[in-house]
Amino acid sequence: MNKSFDNEMKVEFVSKSSNESFARITVAAFAAQLDPTVEELSDIKTAVSEAVTNSIIHGYENKIGIVKIIAKLEGQKLIIEISDKGKGIEDVEMAKEPLYTTKPNLERSGMGFTIMESFMDSVEIESILGLGTKIKMTKTIKKPNLEEYEKDFTMVTK
Amino acid sequence: MESYFNQDEKLLVFKVSEEIDDYKVPEIRRKADYEIQRYMPKKIIFDFNNVTFMDSAGIGLIIGRYKFANLIGATLELANLTSSIRKIFEMSGILRLVPETELI
């Protein structure tokens, strides 16, 4: 296995909104290896749900396509990549603005990217018009009492 | 989602039990709007006690119902928000228009 990360998973599914729940639960189950708190897990599920919804609604505009999720663990860091081969985002900076939505008539709040950015440590958007969009998000899960743990460990190994 | 109507107080309560995302919202919206038109309440409460997940689709749902409530002269309030759900609503600023309330 590649040494730069400790674990990896990949999942692909058809762009149906009924798969949103499947997507977030799958990533949450994978992330559970890092012992996240209930709140951290909830943040991860919400961020995944936002990105997957964007791919389905905006990327594929409810036509059939494939949404791909790759998740990696690197120490205590969770890396999630969610990509589609949909229409792409015309103006990424605009899309990131809170309350900005291209579909206001459908009661869309325009808060998707704002939520991803505040619930994860970092969010990167790569998008090419006509080719698709890839969202890369990371979140480091704090280990409880890591200092205490390391102190004990140093004492034992000395 | 279940609902009940208190005739004396003209109060309509929705007890949401679905995970609130883009998939489930259309169904919740349809049921809610149907009940609101049927009872024409003075006060509407969405109870989140049984909601285990919500993303930004929930913001759209509440903004839409707030507009509808306004149209018929009713108020809208939210009850039993978990910290995760409250965090999402706070980000949108909607709690300034749709306050939290106590509901047992």
Side-chain angles (χ1 to χ4, degrees), chain A residues 86-99:
Chain A
K87 62 178 242 186
I89 302 169
E90 210 169 305
D91 187 337
V92 170
E93 286 312 309
M94 191 71 110
K96 283 159 74 176
E97 283 293 309
L99 305 176

Side-chain angles (χ1 to χ4, degrees), chain A residues 87-93 95 113 125 127-130 132-133 135:
Chain A
K87 62 178 242 186
I89 302 169
E90 210 169 305
D91 187 337
V92 170
E93 286 312 309
F113 280 120
I125 307 166
S127 192
I128 302 172
L129 271 184
T133 301
I135 310 287

Side-chain angles (χ1 to χ4, degrees), chain B residues 2-5 11-15 43-45 47 103:
Chain B
E2 290 185 3
S3 61
Y4 64 84
F5 182 63
L11 165 69
L12 180 60
V13 178
F14 293 108
K15 296 181 94 59
K43 186 172 174 179
I44 303 164
I45 297 177
D47 182 355
L103 187 74

Side-chain angles (χ1 to χ4, degrees), chain A residues 17-18 20-21 24-25 39 42-43 45-46 49-50 53 56-57 99 106-109 111-112 114-115 118-119, chain B residues 19-23 25 29 33 52-57 59-65 83-84 87-88 91-92:
Chain A
S17 63
S18 53
E20 285 167 15
S21 159
R24 61 179 177 258
I25 288 169
E39 197 183 347
S42 172
D43 289 353
K45 277 163 78 175
T46 307
S49 202
E50 299 296 349
T53 303
I56 295 170
I57 305 283
L99 305 176
L106 298 172
E107 292 188 359
R108 305 263 161 230
S109 66
M111 291 296 288
T114 309
I115 288 175
S118 60
F119 283 12
Chain B
E19 296 201 316
I20 304 179
D21 63 9
D22 177 64
Y23 176 57
V25 157
R29 180 167 52 217
D33 287 355
T52 51
F53 176 83
M54 188 186 90
D55 66 17
S56 68
I59 301 172
L61 173 73
I62 295 305
I63 290 175
R65 303 300 66 65
S83 62
S84 301
K87 207 157 68 174
I88 291 168
M91 245 177 255
S92 71

Side-chain angles (χ1 to χ4, degrees), chain A residues 44-144:
Chain A
I44 293 164
K45 277 163 78 175
T46 307
V48 169
S49 202
E50 299 296 349
V52 169
T53 303
N54 277 353
S55 287
I56 295 170
I57 305 283
H58 299 289
Y60 293 118
E61 295 194 299
N62 290 318
K63 292 184 211 72
I64 294 300
I66 298 292
V67 181
K68 183 160 98 178
I69 302 181
I70 297 173
K72 294 174 189 173
L73 305 182
E74 209 180 280
Q76 281 299 109
K77 191 175 173 190
L78 170 70
I79 302 154
I80 308 168
E81 284 176 21
I82 298 174
S83 56
D84 64 65
K85 293 187 160 49
K87 62 178 242 186
I89 302 169
E90 210 169 305
D91 187 337
V92 170
E93 286 312 309
M94 191 71 110
K96 283 159 74 176
E97 283 293 309
L99 305 176
Y100 175 81
T101 174
T102 51
K103 300 186 185 338
N105 51 328
L106 298 172
E107 292 188 359
R108 305 263 161 230
S109 66
M111 291 296 288
F113 280 120
T114 309
I115 288 175
M116 284 182 242
E117 282 174 340
S118 60
F119 283 12
M120 302 296 282
D121 296 340
S122 72
V123 179
E124 287 166 36
I125 307 166
E126 272 175 46
S127 192
I128 302 172
L129 271 184
L131 288 181
T133 301
K134 179 156 95 180
I135 310 287
K136 186 177 171 187
M137 307 186 278
T138 68
K139 190 177 182 71
T140 300
I141 306 299
K142 283 162 213 81
K143 249 205 152 102

Side-chain angles (χ1 to χ4, degrees), chain A residues 129-158:
Chain A
L129 271 184
L131 288 181
T133 301
K134 179 156 95 180
I135 310 287
K136 186 177 171 187
M137 307 186 278
T138 68
K139 190 177 182 71
T140 300
I141 306 299
K142 283 162 213 81
K143 249 205 152 102
N145 296 322
L146 186 64
E147 279 178 11
E148 289 292 313
Y149 173 83
E150 277 179 346
K151 215 169 16 179
D152 291 351
F153 185 75
T154 326
M155 275 162 62
V156 172
T157 50
K158 261 183 185 168

